[in-house]
mmCIF file of all heavy atoms in Angstrom:
data_model
loop_
_atom_site.group_PDB
_atom_site.id
_atom_site.type_symbol
_atom_site.label_atom_id
_atom_site.label_comp_id
_atom_site.label_asym_id
_atom_site.label_seq_id
_atom_site.Cartn_x
_atom_site.Cartn_y
_atom_site.Cartn_z
ATOM 1 N N LEU J 1183 -1.546 -2.664 2.265
ATOM 2 C CA LEU J 1183 -0.961 -2.169 3.479
ATOM 3 C C LEU J 1183 -2.066 -1.892 4.488
ATOM 4 O O LEU J 1183 -2.373 -0.750 4.812
ATOM 5 C CB LEU J 1183 -0.169 -0.909 3.193
ATOM 6 C CG LEU J 1183 1.088 -1.093 2.260
ATOM 7 C CD1 LEU J 1183 1.517 0.182 1.677
ATOM 8 C CD2 LEU J 1183 2.189 -1.809 2.994
ATOM 9 N N ASN J 1187 1.268 -3.809 11.711
ATOM 10 C CA ASN J 1187 2.287 -4.704 12.349
ATOM 11 C C ASN J 1187 2.641 -4.005 13.708
ATOM 12 O O ASN J 1187 3.335 -3.078 13.679
ATOM 13 C CB ASN J 1187 3.469 -4.857 11.493
ATOM 14 C CG ASN J 1187 4.732 -5.353 12.226
ATOM 15 O OD1 ASN J 1187 4.574 -6.261 13.075
ATOM 16 N ND2 ASN J 1187 5.903 -4.851 11.948
ATOM 17 N N PRO J 1189 4.630 -4.700 16.917
ATOM 18 C CA PRO J 1189 5.466 -5.750 17.468
ATOM 19 C C PRO J 1189 5.014 -6.254 18.812
ATOM 20 O O PRO J 1189 4.471 -5.559 19.603
ATOM 21 C CB PRO J 1189 6.844 -5.027 17.604
ATOM 22 C CG PRO J 1189 6.709 -3.730 16.801
ATOM 23 C CD PRO J 1189 5.184 -3.450 16.719
ATOM 24 N N ILE J 1222 8.363 4.849 17.129
ATOM 25 C CA ILE J 1222 9.159 3.615 16.817
ATOM 26 C C ILE J 1222 8.923 3.377 15.391
ATOM 27 O O ILE J 1222 7.802 3.115 14.903
ATOM 28 C CB ILE J 1222 8.658 2.471 17.657
ATOM 29 C CG1 ILE J 1222 8.713 2.708 19.195
ATOM 30 C CG2 ILE J 1222 9.475 1.165 17.341
ATOM 31 C CD1 ILE J 1222 8.115 1.735 20.067
ATOM 32 N N GLY J 1223 9.993 3.421 14.607
ATOM 33 C CA GLY J 1223 9.868 3.137 13.153
ATOM 34 C C GLY J 1223 10.195 4.426 12.313
ATOM 35 O O GLY J 1223 9.682 5.425 12.612
ATOM 36 N N THR J 1224 10.961 4.229 11.244
ATOM 37 C CA THR J 1224 11.357 5.306 10.451
ATOM 38 C C THR J 1224 11.213 4.942 8.969
ATOM 39 O O THR J 1224 12.027 5.119 8.116
ATOM 40 C CB THR J 1224 12.806 5.759 10.697
ATOM 41 O OG1 THR J 1224 13.634 4.580 10.652
ATOM 42 C CG2 THR J 1224 12.982 6.469 12.056
ATOM 43 N N GLY J 1225 10.046 4.284 8.634
ATOM 44 C CA GLY J 1225 9.639 4.095 7.290
ATOM 45 C C GLY J 1225 8.901 5.302 6.830
ATOM 46 O O GLY J 1225 9.010 6.460 7.425
ATOM 47 N N SER J 1226 8.069 5.149 5.806
ATOM 48 C CA SER J 1226 7.373 6.370 5.304
ATOM 49 C C SER J 1226 6.502 7.055 6.392
ATOM 50 O O SER J 1226 6.453 8.232 6.418
ATOM 51 C CB SER J 1226 6.536 5.834 4.092
ATOM 52 O OG SER J 1226 5.974 6.920 3.400
ATOM 53 N N SER J 1227 5.713 6.243 7.044
ATOM 54 C CA SER J 1227 4.860 6.830 8.090
ATOM 55 C C SER J 1227 5.585 7.583 9.158
ATOM 56 O O SER J 1227 5.188 8.664 9.478
ATOM 57 C CB SER J 1227 4.016 5.658 8.721
ATOM 58 O OG SER J 1227 3.372 4.909 7.738
ATOM 59 N N GLY J 1228 6.631 6.972 9.679
ATOM 60 C CA GLY J 1228 7.400 7.625 10.734
ATOM 61 C C GLY J 1228 8.004 8.913 10.200
ATOM 62 O O GLY J 1228 7.957 9.943 10.795
ATOM 63 N N ARG J 1247 15.322 1.520 13.875
ATOM 64 C CA ARG J 1247 15.969 0.239 13.674
ATOM 65 C C ARG J 1247 16.825 0.223 12.378
ATOM 66 O O ARG J 1247 17.972 -0.221 12.383
ATOM 67 C CB ARG J 1247 14.905 -0.861 13.580
ATOM 68 C CG ARG J 1247 15.578 -2.220 13.488
ATOM 69 C CD ARG J 1247 14.550 -3.388 13.743
ATOM 70 N NE ARG J 1247 13.650 -3.536 12.644
ATOM 71 C CZ ARG J 1247 12.693 -4.551 12.686
ATOM 72 N NH1 ARG J 1247 12.554 -5.367 13.753
ATOM 73 N NH2 ARG J 1247 11.907 -4.745 11.634
ATOM 74 N N THR J 1248 16.281 0.793 11.303
ATOM 75 C CA THR J 1248 17.056 0.923 10.037
ATOM 76 C C THR J 1248 16.915 2.294 9.498
ATOM 77 O O THR J 1248 15.711 2.749 9.294
ATOM 78 C CB THR J 1248 16.585 -0.075 9.011
ATOM 79 O OG1 THR J 1248 16.419 -1.373 9.623
ATOM 80 C CG2 THR J 1248 17.503 -0.252 7.809
ATOM 81 N N LYS J 1367 14.249 -0.513 -0.476
ATOM 82 C CA LYS J 1367 13.022 -0.317 0.305
ATOM 83 C C LYS J 1367 12.365 0.807 -0.412
ATOM 84 O O LYS J 1367 13.034 1.711 -1.026
ATOM 85 C CB LYS J 1367 13.285 0.103 1.710
ATOM 86 C CG LYS J 1367 13.844 -0.973 2.534
ATOM 87 C CD LYS J 1367 13.874 -0.618 3.985
ATOM 88 C CE LYS J 1367 14.369 -1.890 4.775
ATOM 89 N NZ LYS J 1367 14.323 -1.559 6.151
ATOM 90 N N ARG J 1368 11.030 0.945 -0.371
ATOM 91 C CA ARG J 1368 10.348 1.982 -1.020
ATOM 92 C C ARG J 1368 10.941 3.347 -0.625
ATOM 93 O O ARG J 1368 11.082 3.695 0.555
ATOM 94 C CB ARG J 1368 8.865 2.038 -0.677
ATOM 95 C CG ARG J 1368 8.038 2.954 -1.549
ATOM 96 C CD ARG J 1368 6.617 2.887 -1.189
ATOM 97 N NE ARG J 1368 5.836 3.901 -1.886
ATOM 98 C CZ ARG J 1368 5.032 3.604 -2.900
ATOM 99 N NH1 ARG J 1368 4.917 2.359 -3.290
ATOM 100 N NH2 ARG J 1368 4.296 4.529 -3.430
ATOM 101 N N ILE J 1389 18.100 1.566 17.606
ATOM 102 C CA ILE J 1389 17.758 0.379 18.214
ATOM 103 C C ILE J 1389 18.090 -0.838 17.331
ATOM 104 O O ILE J 1389 17.453 -1.892 17.491
ATOM 105 C CB ILE J 1389 16.264 0.358 18.639
ATOM 106 C CG1 ILE J 1389 15.324 0.703 17.430
ATOM 107 C CG2 ILE J 1389 16.041 1.298 19.870
ATOM 108 C CD1 ILE J 1389 13.836 0.317 17.692
ATOM 109 N N ALA J 1418 5.123 3.295 14.428
ATOM 110 C CA ALA J 1418 5.093 3.515 13.022
ATOM 111 C C ALA J 1418 5.825 2.299 12.335
ATOM 112 O O ALA J 1418 6.744 2.476 11.489
ATOM 113 C CB ALA J 1418 5.790 4.844 12.613
ATOM 114 N N THR J 1419 5.412 1.154 12.744
ATOM 115 C CA THR J 1419 6.074 -0.065 12.501
ATOM 116 C C THR J 1419 5.559 -0.865 11.284
ATOM 117 O O THR J 1419 5.907 -2.067 11.112
ATOM 118 C CB THR J 1419 6.132 -0.983 13.717
ATOM 119 O OG1 THR J 1419 4.854 -0.888 14.332
ATOM 120 C CG2 THR J 1419 7.127 -0.523 14.695
ATOM 121 N N GLY J 1420 4.716 -0.210 10.427
ATOM 122 C CA GLY J 1420 4.435 -0.845 9.168
ATOM 123 C C GLY J 1420 3.315 -1.893 9.221
ATOM 124 O O GLY J 1420 2.507 -1.918 10.167
ATOM 125 N N TYR J 1421 3.409 -2.830 8.216
ATOM 126 C CA TYR J 1421 2.286 -3.710 7.909
ATOM 127 C C TYR J 1421 2.791 -5.074 7.669
ATOM 128 O O TYR J 1421 3.897 -5.287 7.175
ATOM 129 C CB TYR J 1421 1.516 -3.165 6.702
ATOM 130 C CG TYR J 1421 0.991 -1.814 6.942
ATOM 131 C CD1 TYR J 1421 1.784 -0.714 6.600
ATOM 132 C CD2 TYR J 1421 -0.273 -1.610 7.497
ATOM 133 C CE1 TYR J 1421 1.240 0.569 6.898
ATOM 134 C CE2 TYR J 1421 -0.823 -0.390 7.760
ATOM 135 C CZ TYR J 1421 0.025 0.731 7.475
ATOM 136 O OH TYR J 1421 -0.472 1.989 7.716
ATOM 137 N N TRP J 1533 9.526 -4.930 3.472
ATOM 138 C CA TRP J 1533 8.150 -5.554 3.511
ATOM 139 C C TRP J 1533 7.769 -6.121 2.208
ATOM 140 O O TRP J 1533 6.878 -6.919 2.148
ATOM 141 C CB TRP J 1533 7.129 -4.645 4.131
ATOM 142 C CG TRP J 1533 6.898 -3.266 3.492
ATOM 143 C CD1 TRP J 1533 7.439 -2.137 3.939
ATOM 144 C CD2 TRP J 1533 6.180 -2.967 2.311
ATOM 145 N NE1 TRP J 1533 7.057 -1.030 3.140
ATOM 146 C CE2 TRP J 1533 6.283 -1.612 2.077
ATOM 147 C CE3 TRP J 1533 5.451 -3.740 1.396
ATOM 148 C CZ2 TRP J 1533 5.665 -0.944 1.028
ATOM 149 C CZ3 TRP J 1533 4.756 -3.062 0.315
ATOM 150 C CH2 TRP J 1533 4.916 -1.694 0.179
HETATM 151 P P1 LIG V 2927 7.420 0.497 6.817
HETATM 152 O O1 LIG V 2927 8.003 1.133 5.616
HETATM 153 O O2 LIG V 2927 7.355 -0.985 6.929
HETATM 154 O O3 LIG V 2927 8.368 1.044 8.026
HETATM 155 C C1 LIG V 2927 8.238 0.515 9.292
HETATM 156 C C2 LIG V 2927 9.348 0.995 10.142
HETATM 157 O O4 LIG V 2927 9.169 0.409 11.504
HETATM 158 C C3 LIG V 2927 10.727 0.647 9.697
HETATM 159 O O5 LIG V 2927 11.616 1.663 10.007
HETATM 160 C C4 LIG V 2927 10.977 -0.674 10.482
HETATM 161 O O6 LIG V 2927 12.370 -0.988 10.613
HETATM 162 C C5 LIG V 2927 10.355 -0.308 11.735
HETATM 163 N N1 LIG V 2927 10.065 -1.494 12.540
HETATM 164 C C6 LIG V 2927 9.216 -2.538 12.171
HETATM 165 N N2 LIG V 2927 9.156 -3.434 13.131
HETATM 166 C C7 LIG V 2927 9.958 -2.955 14.181
HETATM 167 C C8 LIG V 2927 10.231 -3.493 15.455
HETATM 168 N N3 LIG V 2927 9.797 -4.622 15.859
HETATM 169 N N4 LIG V 2927 11.070 -2.740 16.191
HETATM 170 C C9 LIG V 2927 11.549 -1.575 15.782
HETATM 171 N N5 LIG V 2927 11.295 -0.993 14.595
HETATM 172 C C10 LIG V 2927 10.501 -1.720 13.734
HETATM 173 O O7 LIG V 2927 5.998 1.074 7.120
HETATM 174 P P2 LIG V 2927 5.403 2.488 6.922
HETATM 175 O O8 LIG V 2927 4.051 2.490 7.517
HETATM 176 O O9 LIG V 2927 6.369 3.554 7.299
HETATM 177 O O10 LIG V 2927 5.279 2.614 5.359
HETATM 178 C C11 LIG V 2927 4.584 1.607 4.631
HETATM 179 C C12 LIG V 2927 4.326 2.047 3.255
HETATM 180 O O11 LIG V 2927 3.217 3.048 3.279
HETATM 181 C C13 LIG V 2927 5.429 2.804 2.569
HETATM 182 O O12 LIG V 2927 6.384 2.090 1.988
HETATM 183 C C14 LIG V 2927 4.653 3.680 1.510
HETATM 184 O O13 LIG V 2927 4.290 2.797 0.513
HETATM 185 C C15 LIG V 2927 3.406 3.955 2.254
HETATM 186 P P3 LIG V 2927 13.027 -1.998 9.538
HETATM 187 O O14 LIG V 2927 13.278 -1.126 8.259
HETATM 188 O O15 LIG V 2927 12.069 -3.105 9.253
HETATM 189 O O16 LIG V 2927 14.327 -2.402 10.195
#
Side-chain angles (χ1 to χ4, degrees):
L1183 296 164
N1187 165 41
I1222 304 171
T1224 51
S1226 191
S1227 306
R1247 187 163 75 177
T1248 313
K1367 287 188 177 186
R1368 188 181 174 103
I1389 55 164
T1419 41
Y1421 300 88
W1533 54 260

